[in-house]
């Protein structure tokens, strides 16, 4: 039985969660339609699928799923390519940092340490980042979990969007996240210990019952935050696990930094969730699938047309197998009594219309932009033309990548720094930098990925133009 303070806390959290559920409900039908045609494995918003069941019944044309894959690969290559150190750290006050070699060296060593743990074989960053960017392309919203893998470093997870509910602060930034998920009693005991479980779960555990129970993980800014405290109330973000059936708190804790950054592709006014390229071109995706069905039927009729047969009392049933003999198929004077029905229609026109609609989808997913540099014009492009093409590519993609850096990569890096510094995994900080940060100084992230380099091509292009003039 809960005491009254815990009961009041549970009621307050569940009321906030219910409000977040209500605000997300209008999105679920939209997401379901996108998932069925673009990312079928994520179609968990309005119905429960059995493991391994078929989910591609809505897909006739694979243009959209393939375009999503290219969009994901392109965005990853532009924002966080595996082969390079795509960001660095430096003091926000560059005038203060000038000439301080030990400070610059510490930022370089700290950056190298971040990359070491981020791309460790046990972290899972690459696969989880790929799933998050894929969610951005399909649904416009991509949550990513960044947690302390105690004794080993950092571990990453990409939760199913159907489990996630969000709310934003007064500035429109996501600051509250709740996640609904299921465990059986054995899994719950492994997570929180047998003594913390409600009675119904203890009974299920004793009887080896695999019945699933629903749980809620609620993360929000702590209203009673006291930075002087050493317990979880001294942590900026609160963390509460609740057993939904019994409505009891299983554990309370917190985080010094936001553990689940939520990125959005583009947002509309007064909306917490993002909108995606797949949502914007969903009418074209639906149309292409219907057109593909029509073209398939037309192709079947063209290759295997229906037949007109004379009613002469002799020819009863046609044998269509190779080498078959149909008695009565010719009149005594040699006239054919069986002929295909003229169907009309123009397959070429239908094919051109289908390709035009496919092109709209590829354009929406930026596939043509990603392929821009691959089309070298017969390798006759000058150096200036190459630079201008890179610059044009950067202009087209800058808004999308900038949002990924702001809402996803930046918070991930800040979370990594927090985890590794508290675990003593970062190199010893020089006294000058420690004093700088203690006095309110800050550091910031400097991106050095292909996107940032493309944005700087204007300077290089201008230099070449000056030389040519």
């Amino acid at each position: 039985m809960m005491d009254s303070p815990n009961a009041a806390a549970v009621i307050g959290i569940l009321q906030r969660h219910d409000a977040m559920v209500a605000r997300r409900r209008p999105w679920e039908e939209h997401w379901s339609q996108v998932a069925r045609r673009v990312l079928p494995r994520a179609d968990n918003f309005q119905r429960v699928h059995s493991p391994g069941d078929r989910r591609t019944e809505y897909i006739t044309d694979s243009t959209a799923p393939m375009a999503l894959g290219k969009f994901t690969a392109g965005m990853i290559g532009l924002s966080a390519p595996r082969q390079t150190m795509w960001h660095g750290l430096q003091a926000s006050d560059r005038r203060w940092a000038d000439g301080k070699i030990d400070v610059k060296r510490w930022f370089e060593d700290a950056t190298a340490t971040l990359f070491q743990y981020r791309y460790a074989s046990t972290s899972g960053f690459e696969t989880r980042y790929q799933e998050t960017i894929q969610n951005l392309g399909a649904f416009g919203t991509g949550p990513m979990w960044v947690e302390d893998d105690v004794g080993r470093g950092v571990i990453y997870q990409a939760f199913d969007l159907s489990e996630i509910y969000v709310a934003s602060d007064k500035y429109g930034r996501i600051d509250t996240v709740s996640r609904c998920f299921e465990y059986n009693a054995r899994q719950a005991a492994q997570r929180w210990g047998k003594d913390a479980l409600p009675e119904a779960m203890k009974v299920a555990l004793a009887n080896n019952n695999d019945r699933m129970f629903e749980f809620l993980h609620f993360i929000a800014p702590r209203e009673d935050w006291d930075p002087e405290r050493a317990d979880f109330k001294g942590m900026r973000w609160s963390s509460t696990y609740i057993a939904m059936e019994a409505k009891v708190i299983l554990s309370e804790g917190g985080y010094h930094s936001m553990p689940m950054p939520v990125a959005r592709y583009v947002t509309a006014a007064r909306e917490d969730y993002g909108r995606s390229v797949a949502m914007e071109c969903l009418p074209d995706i639906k149309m292409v699938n219907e057109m593909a069905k029509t073209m398939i039927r037309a192709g079947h009729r063209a290759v295997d047309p229906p037949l007109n047969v004379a009613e002469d009392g002799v020819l009863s049933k046609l044998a269509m197998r190779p080498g078959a003999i149909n008695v009565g198929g010719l009149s005594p004077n040699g006239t054919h009594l069986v002929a295909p029905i003229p169907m009309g229609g123009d397959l070429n026109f239908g094919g051109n219309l289908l390709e035009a609609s496919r092109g709209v989808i590829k354009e929406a997913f930026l596939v043509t932009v990603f392929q821009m540099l691959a089309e070298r014009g017969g390798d006759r492009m000058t150096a200036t033309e190459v630079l201008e093409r890179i610059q044009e590519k950067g202009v087209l993609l800058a808004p999308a990548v900038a949002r990924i850096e702001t809402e996803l990569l930046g918070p991930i890096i800040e979370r990594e720094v927090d985890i590794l510094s508290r675990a003593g995994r970062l190199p010893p900080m020089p006294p000058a930098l420690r004093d700088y940060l203690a006095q309110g100084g800050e550091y910031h992230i400097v991106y050095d990925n292909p996107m940032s380099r493309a944005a700087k091509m204007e300077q290089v292009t201008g230099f070449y133009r000056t030389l040519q003039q």
Side-chain angles (χ1 to χ4, degrees):
M1 187 70 180
M2 292 187 297
D3 55 23
S4 55
N6 276 348
V10 170
I11 292 173
I13 290 175
L14 292 183
Q15 287 177 343
R16 293 184 65 183
H17 173 68
D18 290 342
M20 293 162 67
V21 171
R23 286 179 64 86
R24 200 193 80 168
R25 192 167 290 119
W27 293 87
E28 294 175 358
E29 172 61 25
H30 203 170
W31 287 342
S32 293
Q33 292 194 28
V34 170
R36 292 167 188 166
R37 296 166 177 84
V38 180
L39 194 60
R41 63 173 175 79
D43 183 19
N44 299 312
F45 299 104
Q46 292 187 318
R47 55 178 176 171
V48 178
H49 289 272
S50 300
D53 66 350
R54 183 172 61 88
R55 303 191 187 187
T56 57
E57 63 270 23
Y58 286 89
I59 298 178
T60 306
D61 184 274
S62 60
T63 300
M66 294 178 65
L68 176 61
K70 293 179 180 179
F71 169 89
T72 303
M75 282 298 177
I76 292 173
L78 287 174
S79 62
R82 174 68 174 87
Q83 299 83 3
T84 63
M85 294 186 67
W86 43 267
H87 76 84
L89 303 174
Q90 70 179 28
S92 298
D93 188 347
R94 298 189 64 181
R95 294 174 300 176
W96 173 86
D98 286 344
K100 294 181 172 57
I101 303 301
D102 56 340
V103 172
K104 293 181 179 179
R105 184 175 298 142
W106 184 88
F107 279 123
E108 293 174 357
D109 293 342
T111 300
T113 302
L114 291 178
F115 275 87
Q116 173 188 342
Y117 283 99
R118 183 183 302 140
Y119 289 101
S121 59
T122 57
S123 73
F125 173 79
E126 289 181 277
T127 56
R128 304 313 181 193
Y129 186 62
Q130 182 264 340
E131 293 174 20
T132 301
I133 298 300
Q134 198 169 53
N135 280 335
L136 273 183
F139 309 117
T141 304
M144 188 167 178
W145 180 258
V146 187
E147 183 58 290
D148 183 3
D149 190 9
V150 180
R152 305 179 72 176
V154 186
I155 194 167
Y156 307 83
Q157 287 182 276
F159 293 128
D160 196 308
L161 185 58
S162 64
E163 301 178 349
I164 303 299
Y165 303 83
V166 303
S168 57
D169 63 12
K170 62 182 179 181
Y171 301 109
R173 301 171 301 192
I174 299 297
D175 71 339
T176 303
V177 179
S178 63
R179 175 183 173 236
C180 287
F181 60 99
E182 291 184 336
Y183 278 160
N184 58 33
R186 184 178 66 87
Q187 293 169 327
Q190 292 173 342
R191 180 65 181 269
W192 296 288
K194 178 180 177 181
D195 295 338
L197 302 184
E199 191 60 33
M201 292 187 197
K202 292 180 180 178
V203 172
L205 182 63
N207 296 329
N208 293 322
N209 190 331
D210 283 337
R211 179 167 79 91
M212 305 302 291
F213 295 87
E214 187 178 7
F215 301 88
L216 174 69
H217 186 198
F218 191 80
I219 304 169
R222 190 178 298 281
E223 297 177 358
D224 57 348
W225 176 46
D226 182 0
E228 300 299 324
R229 295 188 58 158
D231 61 358
F232 63 84
K233 289 191 175 181
M235 299 179 179
R236 186 67 184 85
W237 304 88
S238 67
S239 169
T240 309
Y241 285 93
I242 297 175
M244 297 294 280
E245 182 179 294
K247 291 183 171 53
V248 298
I249 294 178
L250 297 175
S251 69
E252 287 186 275
Y255 307 96
H256 292 283
S257 52
M258 181 57 168
M260 191 185 296
V262 180
R264 296 165 295 178
Y265 188 74
V266 65
T267 56
R270 299 180 296 280
E271 292 183 350
D272 292 330
Y273 298 91
R275 293 179 177 268
S276 68
V277 290
M279 296 166 71
E280 296 295 336
C281 67
L282 182 59
D284 293 280
I285 295 174
K286 291 181 177 180
M287 182 170 64
V288 162
N289 279 281
E290 292 303 316
M291 291 172 63
K293 293 178 185 178
T294 302
M295 292 299 295
I296 291 171
R297 289 193 296 267
H300 283 174
R301 286 194 295 265
V303 175
D304 190 11
L307 304 176
N308 276 329
V309 181
E311 185 178 2
D312 60 354
V314 178
L315 188 64
S316 59
K317 186 176 181 181
L318 289 175
M320 303 297 291
R321 67 183 183 276
I325 297 176
N326 289 287
V327 179
L330 292 174
S331 66
N333 60 4
T335 301
H336 286 279
L337 301 180
V338 180
I341 300 175
M343 300 303 298
D346 189 342
L347 285 176
N348 290 330
F349 175 78
N352 293 336
L353 189 61
L354 179 59
E355 285 302 316
S357 298
R358 286 171 173 168
V360 171
I361 296 173
K362 294 177 182 178
E363 189 76 24
F365 280 95
L366 304 175
V367 173
T368 54
V369 179
F370 293 132
Q371 293 175 341
M372 191 180 296
L373 291 178
E375 300 173 359
R376 309 288 287 193
D379 290 329
R380 296 178 181 177
M381 295 173 60
T382 65
T384 304
E385 289 173 336
V386 171
L387 293 174
E388 289 176 348
R389 178 163 288 193
I390 294 174
Q391 179 190 350
E392 179 183 357
K393 181 179 180 181
V395 170
L396 293 173
L397 294 172
V401 178
R403 186 131 198 172
I404 292 174
E405 291 176 350
T406 301
E407 293 193 342
L408 185 62
L409 293 178
I412 286 175
I413 295 169
E414 292 174 1
R415 174 71 173 153
E416 293 168 341
V417 171
D418 177 58
I419 290 174
L420 295 178
S421 63
R422 294 181 184 279
R425 301 299 180 96
L426 294 181
M429 189 176 294
L433 180 58
R434 188 182 301 109
D435 294 340
Y436 167 76
L437 297 176
Q439 295 170 8
E442 296 180 345
Y443 69 90
H444 67 268
I445 302 162
V446 181
Y447 292 99
D448 188 26
N449 51 29
M451 186 68 253
S452 64
R453 291 194 290 271
K456 298 174 184 176
M457 281 298 144
E458 174 66 25
Q459 301 174 6
V460 181
T461 305
F463 174 73
Y464 271 95
R465 287 172 181 165
T466 302
L467 289 180
Q468 290 174 348
Q469 291 175 359

